[in-house]
């Protein structure tokens, strides 16, 4: 199969750039998080394991096939690579997957883990998400238990997305957040919208607590 080297290089540069942005927001501490872009039908570009996401260079981006295997054999893809490729496999419209470990996503996913989802409603910024035209909307973000069994987690996500018409993202408890989009700009807009919402929810919970206590 022909590898489109030029498309891979462009994807790799875009991933480095989005990494600097997401790191600057404080959403990728301590070499955590991973980002990928679809190169074509057969291949994707993804961050290598253990790299600092604010200091990525093109050498830190791997070419993988859609089963999550690295094409070069001297490099190790991130353990979570399969969560990215599972999304590319299920939907040919997905062109980019972004995964971060922000404080707010981590804290909320722990707080709402038992419930299994976080509901968010009536925020104007919800309109940044696909197919939402009004703030008078309630969305549910699923929260999956954290695990090192990535194949099992990918299956849970896939089952959930098959049953729910949800096309936004999901949390992994005590871990972080996944979102995606048709291209890197869309996925980045989603992550910014969600991080804004997560911050609002955390702040509201804190203020309610204080008001109740006084
Ligand atoms: Zn992670």
């Amino acid at each position: 199969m022909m590898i489109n080297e030029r498309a891979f290089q462009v994807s790799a540069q875009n991933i480095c750039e989005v990494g600097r942005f997401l790191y600057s927001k404080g959403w990728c501490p301590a070499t955590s998080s991973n980002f990928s872009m679809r190169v074509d039908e057969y291949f994707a570009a993804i961050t290598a394991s253990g790299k600092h996401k604010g200091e990525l260079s093109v050498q830190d981006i791997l070419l993988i096939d859609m089963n999550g295997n690295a094409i070069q054999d001297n490099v190790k893809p991130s353990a979570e690579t399969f969560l990215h490729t599972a999304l590319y496999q299920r939907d040919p419209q997905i062109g980019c997957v972004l995964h971060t470990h922000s404080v707010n996503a981590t804290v909320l996913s722990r707080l709402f883990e038992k419930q299994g989802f976080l509901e968010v409603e009536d925020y104007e910024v919800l309109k940044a998400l696909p197919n939402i035209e009004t703030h008078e909307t309630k969305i549910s973000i699923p929260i999956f238990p954290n695990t090192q069994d990535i194949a099992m987690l990918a299956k849970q996500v896939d089952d959930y997305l098959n049953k729910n018409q949800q096309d936004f993202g999901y949390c992994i408890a005590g871990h972080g957040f996944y979102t995606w989009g048709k291209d890197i700009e869309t996925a980045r807009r989603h992550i910014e919208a969600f991080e804004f919402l997560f911050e609002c929810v955390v702040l509201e919970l804190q203020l309610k607590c204080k008001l109740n206590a006084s």
Side-chain angles (χ1 to χ4, degrees):
M1 205 166 301
M2 279 290 288
I3 292 170
N4 186 338
E5 186 60 33
R6 172 88 192 112
F8 169 66
Q9 289 297 328
V10 171
S11 302
Q13 278 160 7
N14 278 308
I15 290 172
C16 295
E17 214 171 287
V18 87
R20 280 190 286 277
F21 173 74
L22 297 172
Y23 179 80
S24 77
K25 300 292 236 174
W27 300 336
C28 314
T31 75
S32 70
S33 310
N34 37 68
F35 321 123
S36 70
M37 277 181 77
R38 179 192 290 280
V39 173
D40 57 25
E41 194 182 338
Y42 306 104
F43 299 105
I46 191 164
T47 42
S49 183
K51 300 293 177 184
H52 188 289
K53 299 306 180 296
E55 297 165 2
L56 289 172
S57 65
V58 172
Q59 290 75 23
D60 302 323
I61 313 301
L62 311 179
L63 185 68
I64 52 167
D65 66 22
M66 288 305 181
N67 293 313
N69 304 305
I71 302 304
Q72 307 97 310
D73 32 276
N74 56 339
V75 285
K76 189 169 144 271
S78 144
E80 289 174 57
T81 295
F82 196 58
L83 294 173
H84 293 245
T85 52
L87 287 164
Y88 292 126
Q89 281 185 11
R90 66 167 280 121
D91 185 351
Q93 301 295 317
I94 295 178
C96 177
V97 179
L98 300 175
H99 166 53
T100 46
H101 285 211
S102 75
V103 171
N104 289 326
T106 305
V107 167
L108 287 173
S109 65
R110 282 167 61 93
L111 206 58
F112 290 90
E113 179 177 4
K114 271 216 181 81
Q115 180 174 299
F117 57 88
L118 170 68
E119 279 182 341
V120 183
E121 63 182 321
D122 293 337
Y123 283 100
E124 181 68 16
V125 83
L126 284 167
K127 285 160 60 186
L129 303 177
N131 306 317
I132 294 182
E133 311 286 336
T134 167
H135 65 281
E136 290 175 299
T137 304
K138 186 197 276 186
I139 64 159
S140 177
I141 303 148
I143 302 167
F144 299 101
N146 198 16
T147 175
Q148 304 305 319
D149 186 343
I150 297 301
M152 188 193 74
L153 180 55
K155 170 95 179 65
Q156 287 178 329
V157 171
D158 203 48
D159 288 346
Y160 179 91
L161 294 173
N162 286 338
K163 277 187 222 126
N164 299 273
Q165 292 292 302
Q166 196 259 48
D167 204 8
F168 315 127
Y170 62 87
C171 286
I172 309 173
H175 178 161
F177 178 63
Y178 268 83
T179 191
W180 51 86
K182 67 176 164 56
D183 50 30
I184 199 163
E185 291 79 18
T186 310
R188 197 178 90 157
R189 188 179 73 234
H190 291 171
I191 215 153
E192 284 191 89
F194 275 106
E195 288 298 345
F196 174 84
L197 292 166
F198 293 153
E199 198 171 340
C200 289
V201 173
V202 167
L203 196 58
E204 276 191 45
L205 287 170
Q206 283 175 333
L207 290 175
K208 273 184 199 153
C209 236
K210 267 190 200 150
L211 289 171
N212 288 343
S214 61

